């Protein structure tokens, strides 16, 4: 164990419904994480929903994968199930560090249906944090093509959302994603966090998403950007990250890697967003082809001393094969990957 960084893992790293073959039951995940040496988890709603359905023998209303618009009765069951999740984690000595949720939350016109829905949803997420005995919600940057692109307006909206959590003594960690509308990498996300200027708002830095937008290219045989200046630009970006990002405003770090696509993506037949084609290829650090350690080292050099998580969606090299082995065997591989990425590094 690192003397300064708590060793944590996202629950989806041991499977999720998006991947063929599904996932391990939540109880198995929690036991495996603890036995493998993790002391905390980043918790996903995608784990709570099936756990709730199993616990109460029910079916919750939303059918779409990213749809968390549950009924009031559903939310009551989810809150009760979350209490049970906390008890399970506590019995294994695991801390719930954060909850990952609230997609498509910021960047909508004031008073719009989307903006109202985001605020109503945030009220529920706040209660979920309370049930899980954690104070931090990771909010994924809006990926809708219709969302606001102006960083000042996004920051204003995000700040107002953060204020809702602040009134409850809770924090918000803003995660850029490589297919986000206004914040596809660390630079614009950091600008948004600075402009919003809220004490309970910080940045979530995801290693995979930086590389996916600044180093990789799904359309090339090599899987890399083939601009002659691409490598230099990538290294300069990492230097700026180390220099500019205040470690006190880093709220979350997610390690990751990815396998290369079996063949270059067809530019005439791209899904939207294109980078989602990598969804099932995001593997444990060290098993893919991305320069994950360079990015990890740049983040560590900021002086960050808090928890560090692994987040992967591993569907094998074809994106459709669930890794072999038990939950514990997979958790031990995750634990070793964490050690290799963090121990002995800046």
């Amino acid at each position: 164990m690192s003397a300064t960084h708590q060793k944590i893992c996202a629950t989806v790293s041991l499977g999720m419904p998006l991947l063929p073959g599904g996932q391990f039951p939540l109880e198995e995940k929690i036991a495996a994480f603890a036995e493998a040496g993790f002391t905390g988890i980043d918790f996903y709603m995608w784990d709570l929903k099936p756990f709730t359905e199993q616990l109460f023998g029910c079916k919750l209303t939303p059918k779409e994968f990213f749809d968390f618009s549950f009924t009031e009765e559903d939310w009551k069951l989810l809150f009760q199930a979350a209490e049970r999740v906390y008890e399970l984690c506590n019995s294994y000595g695991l801390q719930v560090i954060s909850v990952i949720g609230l997609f498509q939350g910021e960047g909508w016109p004031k008073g719009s249906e989307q903006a109202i829905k985001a605020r109503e949803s945030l009220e529920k997420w706040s209660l979920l944090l309370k049930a899980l005995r954690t104070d931090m919600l990771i909010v994924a940057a809006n990926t809708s093509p219709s969302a606001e692109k102006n960083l000042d307006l996004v920051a204003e909206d995000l700040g107002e959302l953060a204020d809702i959590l602040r009134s409850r003594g809770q924090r918000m960690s803003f995660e850029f994603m490589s297919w986000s509308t206004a914040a596809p990498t660390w630079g614009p996300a950091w600008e948004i966090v600075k402009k919003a200027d809220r004490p309970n708002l910080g940045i979530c830095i995801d290693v995979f998403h930086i590389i996916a937008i600044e180093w990789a290219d799904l359309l090339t045989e090599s899987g890399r950007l083939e601009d002659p200046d691409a490598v230099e630009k990538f290294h300069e970006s990492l230097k700026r990250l180390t220099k500019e990002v205040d470690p006190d405003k880093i709220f979350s770090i997610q390690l990751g890697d990815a396998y290369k696509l079996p063949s270059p993506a067809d530019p005439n037949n791209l899904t939207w967003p294109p980078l989602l084609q990598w969804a099932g290829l995001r593997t444990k650090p060290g098993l893919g082809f991305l320069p994950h350690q360079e990015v990890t080292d740049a983040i560590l050099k900021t002086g960050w001393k808090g928890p560090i998580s692994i987040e992967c969606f591993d569907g094998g090299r074809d994106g459709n094969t669930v890794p072999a082995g038990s939950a514990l065997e997979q958790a031990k591989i995750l634990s070793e990957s964490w050690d290799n990425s963090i121990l002995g590094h800046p």
Side-chain angles (χ1 to χ4, degrees):
M1 174 63 66
S2 166
T4 54
H5 302 291
Q6 185 178 2
K7 187 176 190 175
I8 67 176
C9 196
T11 54
V12 292
S13 296
L14 284 180
M16 61 184 294
L18 179 65
L19 298 176
Q23 59 186 351
F24 293 107
L26 182 59
E27 300 95 320
E28 289 185 31
K29 289 186 178 186
I30 290 171
F33 284 133
E35 190 168 343
F38 292 98
T39 61
I41 57 172
D42 289 329
F43 188 75
Y44 267 79
M45 174 63 83
W46 298 319
D47 282 288
L48 184 60
K49 183 173 181 283
F51 180 76
T52 303
E53 291 174 339
Q54 178 186 4
L55 189 65
F56 295 106
C58 64
K59 281 292 181 183
L60 303 182
T61 48
K63 300 297 190 296
E64 297 297 324
F65 190 70
F66 283 100
D67 183 6
F68 298 137
S69 54
F70 299 103
T71 66
E72 287 297 323
E73 289 303 311
D74 286 344
W75 276 111
K76 289 178 183 179
L77 295 177
L78 288 163
F79 295 145
Q80 292 179 53
E83 294 276 357
R84 177 59 182 150
V85 171
Y86 165 74
E87 292 170 1
L88 274 171
C89 289
N90 192 51
S91 69
Y92 283 99
L94 281 179
Q95 179 184 3
V96 179
I97 302 299
S98 70
V99 173
I100 301 176
L102 189 62
F103 296 87
Q104 318 295 56
E106 86 297 341
W108 300 114
K110 287 185 181 298
S112 66
E113 180 182 347
Q114 298 99 321
I116 293 170
K117 183 178 178 180
R119 281 153 176 75
E120 291 175 348
S121 179
L122 188 58
E123 297 282 349
K124 302 300 186 184
W125 287 102
S126 175
L127 293 172
L128 191 62
L129 296 182
K130 184 177 180 181
L132 289 165
R133 312 296 198 277
T134 185
D135 72 338
M136 187 156 64
L137 179 68
I138 296 180
V139 174
N142 202 327
T143 62
S144 170
S146 303
E148 179 60 59
K149 298 178 178 63
N150 182 286
L151 300 190
D152 291 315
L153 295 178
V154 173
E156 181 181 350
D157 194 28
L158 189 68
E160 291 176 3
L161 292 172
D163 287 340
I164 295 173
L165 294 185
R166 186 184 179 191
S167 67
R168 295 160 169 76
Q170 297 168 338
R171 298 180 294 156
M172 177 179 290
S173 185
F174 184 55
E175 180 185 4
F176 57 88
M177 295 195 295
S178 47
W179 50 85
S180 296
T181 304
T185 187
W186 75 270
W190 177 233
E191 286 301 313
I192 289 168
V193 168
K194 287 192 298 180
K195 289 174 181 292
D197 192 22
R198 299 300 201 278
N200 68 320
L201 175 63
I203 188 171
C204 171
I205 303 180
D206 187 302
V207 169
F208 165 81
H209 285 301
I210 292 176
I211 301 171
I213 201 73
E214 298 191 23
W215 183 92
D217 189 342
L218 297 180
L219 302 179
T220 64
E221 190 68 40
S222 67
R224 301 173 56 166
L225 291 169
E226 295 184 345
D227 177 345
D229 299 325
V231 172
E232 182 180 353
K233 291 177 181 177
F234 175 63
H235 289 152
E236 285 301 316
S237 175
L238 296 185
K239 289 178 183 176
R240 286 189 288 105
L241 186 158
T242 297
K243 182 179 179 181
E244 296 177 12
V245 177
D246 180 355
D248 290 336
K249 296 298 285 183
I250 298 174
F251 282 8
S252 314
I253 292 175
Q254 297 172 340
L255 307 180
D257 201 345
Y259 303 116
K260 191 169 68 171
L261 285 180
S263 59
D266 180 357
N268 298 313
N269 189 32
L270 291 175
T271 58
W272 179 261
L275 283 165
L276 271 180
Q277 293 187 63
W278 247 348
L281 296 171
R282 293 173 58 181
T283 187
K284 306 158 187 71
L287 297 187
F289 84 112
L290 303 181
H292 67 94
Q293 195 62 57
E294 289 185 59
V295 181
T296 301
D297 288 350
I299 297 168
L300 294 176
K301 287 176 184 176
T302 64
W304 167 253
K305 301 299 182 185
I308 296 178
S309 181
I310 288 183
E311 181 189 63
C312 64
F313 306 81
D314 199 333
R317 294 186 180 276
D318 63 357
N320 292 302
T321 305
V322 175
S326 66
L328 177 57
E329 289 169 332
Q330 287 300 311
K332 287 181 176 178
I333 296 173
L334 286 162
S335 180
E336 182 180 0
S337 180
W338 191 99
D339 290 346
N340 291 338
S341 297
I342 302 302
L343 301 183
H345 290 275

